[in-house]
Amino acid sequence: MSSAIQQPRRKSFRETQFEVREEAILEATNRLLATRGYEAMSMDEIAADVGVAKGSLYRHFDSKEALAAAVMVRLLRRTRAALADQQPGLPARARLEALLRWTLTERLAGGVPQLPSGSPSLQQALLAHRDYMDELMELSESVGALIRRAKADGELREDLRDEFVLYTLYARSCDPTLDFLKAGGSMSDEEIVDQMVSACLNGVAAGRD
Amino acid sequence: MSSAIQQPRRKSFRETQFEVREEAILEATNRLLATRGYEAMSMDEIAADVGVAKGSLYRHFDSKEALAAAVMVRLLRRTRAALADQQPGLPARARLEALLRWTLTERLAGGVPQLPSGSPSLQQALLAHRDYMDELMELSESVGALIRRAKADGELREDLRDEFVLYTLYARSCDPTLDFLKAGGSMSDEEIVDQMVSACLNGVAAGRD
DNA sequence: GTCTATACTGAGATAGAC
DNA sequence: GTCTATCTCAGTATAGAC
């Protein structure tokens, strides 16, 4: 790793060191946020997990809330990237389905923090967090556009409100059904994702499978 | 209320007083659990809400967890009662749909605590709570039987696992979509319930509405 | 910038008088 | 059994040395 790659402005060792550590902090927080949730997770745990002093965390992030928000922003960015990486030619409904599948897979792999109404205090903090709200707006805009397009294509039910569909897709990523089924152990991750995607699109009632 | 109704063993005034207060505690906790969630809700709040000293709460319930568990048990009992009150002649699928509708309506009315993976610590406590687990088993058995019956009737998809359908129905009662839509304010409670039930059974994709 | 040590707060639980 | 007052502890955040 000591072989220097030539770049316009090389960063100092300490700078990269700082960034590497910050990335480690985000990674650890992400993991804890996914497993234990916001309230249950403590700054002590994060510090211990990263192998850094608790006080040092506050050099990187002003507060626990700010740290959690940073993790959420990272997640939203990854999601938007996944969306942007899709083939542009793909029909809207297929893109929505692929995005849902991507989200569920990520979640089962353990990488997704419990965004939504997990913690009221965090929720409050996020609403005030500029970057987070911006990312969320952007993502919602993109997904909203796909929903409208899919409806126009006749691939989504017209009688369901756009917001309803948006939130429904959004909510699947934190559906406790995933945890229960994974904990049950009788279904593979792949099967869980398949059934979830299928049930979301086609419902649980018989008639068209 | 002072007109005594003749009964085999009349309870003393203090006994009924005690029970009335306990009911009030459960009611307040239920409300707080529904609005703020387990972690965010404090024993001080509950005490203040009921108009009782915090210490007195511990004469009724050993701990915060025990109190929350009691509320959950009450909810499960109410749910089982709602199920038992259905017309026995009703087809299985119709009964499942009605139960889902009942649950969602209750939730939107503000009466249902966030049961599921809301709090890991509470989750842990509930697993160890005898009454709660018993009630949960009973309810799951009843609903599971309905699911199998509905499948036999050709009214539910055979390719979805029983557990998957069970948890999916269960999860709808705590779906954050409900909160988002209610907060949005552009849909009536009735419309929210209708779309939720319909989407759960028939999915969001076009093809059979 | 990172460490150790500590201040401060909120909240669950208990003690003891009445 | 209910009250007031208190204990205890976890956890966020900060101070100060290096």
Side-chain angles (χ1 to χ4, degrees), chain A residues 97-166:
Chain A
E97 182 172 340
L99 182 64
L100 176 58
R101 186 172 292 275
W102 179 86
T103 310
L104 296 176
T105 305
E106 281 281 308
R107 171 88 151 58
L108 281 175
V112 178
Q114 299 282 43
L115 347 145
S117 46
S119 161
S121 70
L122 177 59
Q123 205 61 7
Q124 209 55 24
L126 289 178
L127 286 175
H129 196 283
R130 182 64 59 92
D131 285 3
Y132 175 80
M133 290 307 288
D134 285 350
E135 286 290 331
L136 187 58
M137 295 288 190
E138 287 287 339
L139 180 62
S140 296
E141 266 314 307
S142 303
V143 176
L146 285 177
I147 290 172
R148 287 189 296 276
R149 189 125 47 88
K151 275 188 175 178
D153 294 343
E155 296 278 358
L156 278 192
R157 290 171 54 178
E158 292 276 5
D159 61 322
L160 298 176
R161 300 260 193 134
D162 289 0
E163 337 153 46
F164 177 84
V165 178
L166 176 64

Side-chain angles (χ1 to χ4, degrees), chain A residues 12-188:
Chain A
S12 78
F13 176 72
R14 299 197 70 111
E15 277 174 338
T16 57
Q17 189 77 347
F18 184 80
E19 286 168 16
V20 164
R21 181 156 292 189
E22 185 152 317
E23 181 56 30
I25 293 172
L26 288 169
E27 196 54 49
T29 306
N30 196 22
R31 184 169 42 251
L32 285 169
L33 218 43
T35 55
R36 303 174 52 74
Y38 179 74
E39 314 268 9
M41 155 193 92
S42 74
M43 295 297 267
D44 296 78
E45 271 180 311
I46 299 173
D49 207 58
V50 179
V52 74
K54 182 166 59 165
S56 301
L57 292 181
Y58 288 87
R59 290 282 163 181
H60 292 264
F61 302 96
D62 288 342
S63 66
K64 184 184 180 183
E65 285 171 351
L67 175 50
V71 170
M72 305 305 265
V73 167
R74 219 176 55 134
L75 170 68
L76 289 178
R77 278 202 234 278
R78 262 195 296 147
T79 307
R80 286 215 295 143
L83 196 57
D85 278 355
Q86 291 179 342
Q87 304 166 18
L90 223 54
R93 187 205 133 135
R95 291 188 64 181
L96 288 171
E97 182 172 340
L99 182 64
L100 176 58
R101 186 172 292 275
W102 179 86
T103 310
L104 296 176
T105 305
E106 281 281 308
R107 171 88 151 58
L108 281 175
V112 178
Q114 299 282 43
L115 347 145
S117 46
S119 161
S121 70
L122 177 59
Q123 205 61 7
Q124 209 55 24
L126 289 178
L127 286 175
H129 196 283
R130 182 64 59 92
D131 285 3
Y132 175 80
M133 290 307 288
D134 285 350
E135 286 290 331
L136 187 58
M137 295 288 190
E138 287 287 339
L139 180 62
S140 296
E141 266 314 307
S142 303
V143 176
L146 285 177
I147 290 172
R148 287 189 296 276
R149 189 125 47 88
K151 275 188 175 178
D153 294 343
E155 296 278 358
L156 278 192
R157 290 171 54 178
E158 292 276 5
D159 61 322
L160 298 176
R161 300 260 193 134
D162 289 0
E163 337 153 46
F164 177 84
V165 178
L166 176 64
Y167 294 149
T168 292
L169 291 172
Y170 188 59
R172 277 319 132 262
S173 69
C174 61
D175 196 307
T177 303
L178 290 177
D179 303 291
F180 291 148
L181 291 176
K182 196 174 176 74
S186 65
M187 290 173 72
S188 69

